[in-house]
Amino acid sequence: MTRTLVLVGIGATTMLSVAPDASAQIAKFEVLTEANVAMDLSPDGKWIVGHSSTGGGYIWSRETGYNVIGGQGASAVSDDGTVVLGDIDDPLGIGSNVAGMWTAAEGWFSLGALPNAGGCPSRSDGYELSADGSIAVGLSWDGCSGRGFRWTQATGMLEQESLGNGSNRTSVISADGALTGGFAQGSFSRTPAIWDADTMGALLDPGPENIVGEVLGIRDDGSVLLGYWDGKAFKLEEGQPIELFSGPIAAWTG
């Protein structure tokens, strides 16, 4: 068995496979020549999605190979590879795109946009999926002010509580969909924020200055948050004080 890490960058996507035996650290690089960038990887390393070098989204696995699936690009994949989230052309022609979902059986369909979404330039953008692919989160708009959204088949697109000074985005979601994270605009810039399944949220730093940063990762059960906080990487575990980590290079942020 190998562990697979996707290195995201300009140009073709590169996979790095490393033997799990610490005494034999042999790396094998494999280039997905048709891919432009990788955006998400299933937890078992089987499925990769991203933007194709020829336009549109793609989904890749070792068993099925590289398949272009259209749309404008793919941003997230369900754990079993059956659901892909991304963006598609806006069917109403108001903005450049809306969030879309893809399945092998149905192809792409629109998740829509919030009621007051303009074209700034999009009407909505998909960012992340729950483990089973039933819940999508991302960004839509109130006029031209950003709003995080939560989407399910049953409810359609719901606006997450607007926090801070507006300009919110929901970027990540726990595996079970109970907790989402991202940022809300603070006094100066982005402030880390979270939302519960009922769409109500909270700033991680509600003070008058508002720490610059955002939530970029959530443990499957929602008990740990990762991201950056005032220029440093942070880890926030339920019931524990926040941990900050300095980067290896001074100019880097977390």
Side-chain angles (χ1 to χ4, degrees):
M1 184 179 73
T2 60
R3 298 191 185 103
T4 301
L5 170 68
V6 175
L7 306 179
V8 180
I10 298 173
T13 296
T14 303
M15 290 193 308
L16 169 63
S17 298
V18 182
D21 181 1
S23 65
Q25 293 295 313
I26 301 172
K28 177 185 177 183
F29 290 89
E30 181 178 348
V31 177
L32 303 183
T33 55
E34 305 96 332
N36 185 44
V37 65
M39 295 297 292
D40 197 24
L41 175 74
S42 61
D44 60 5
K46 182 177 180 180
W47 301 98
I48 300 172
V49 297
H51 304 297
S52 169
S53 60
T54 57
Y58 73 86
I59 183 168
W60 177 95
S61 78
R62 195 167 300 283
E63 289 79 9
T64 63
Y66 181 89
N67 292 289
V68 177
I69 58 175
Q72 291 191 4
S75 57
V77 62
S78 61
D79 285 6
D80 63 2
T82 61
V83 182
V84 176
L85 178 69
D87 295 327
I88 61 175
D89 291 342
D90 181 2
L92 299 181
I94 298 173
S96 60
N97 61 267
V98 292
M101 190 172 283
W102 176 93
T103 67
E106 298 182 47
W108 286 98
F109 59 92
S110 172
L111 302 190
L114 294 175
N116 295 324
C120 301
S122 69
R123 293 182 66 231
S124 62
D125 298 271
Y127 274 80
E128 183 64 284
L129 287 170
S130 60
D132 64 2
S134 65
I135 307 172
V137 297
L139 167 73
S140 190
W141 304 87
D142 181 0
C144 284
S145 179
R147 295 289 187 269
F149 77 75
R150 178 186 182 93
W151 179 96
T152 70
Q153 186 73 51
T155 65
M157 187 175 291
L158 299 177
E159 180 179 333
Q160 306 269 53
E161 181 185 6
S162 180
L163 303 172
N165 298 330
S167 297
N168 294 191
R169 189 179 78 196
T170 312
S171 310
V172 290
I173 185 170
S174 60
D176 62 4
L179 186 69
T180 63
F183 68 83
Q185 199 78 7
S187 299
F188 303 105
S189 186
R190 297 177 177 184
T191 296
I194 54 173
W195 293 267
D196 291 324
D198 62 2
T199 72
M200 301 305 291
L203 298 176
L204 296 189
D205 175 57
E209 296 303 318
N210 295 127
I211 290 293
V212 175
E214 61 184 296
V215 177
L216 295 169
I218 302 179
R219 179 183 267 176
D220 284 356
D221 62 4
S223 62
V224 177
L225 304 176
L226 300 175
Y228 73 91
W229 184 285
D230 200 22
K232 294 182 178 180
F234 83 83
K235 175 184 177 183
L236 182 58
E237 189 166 359
E238 190 173 3
Q240 301 294 322
I242 191 169
E243 293 183 67
L244 300 178
F245 306 91
S246 297
I249 297 176
W252 288 7
T253 58

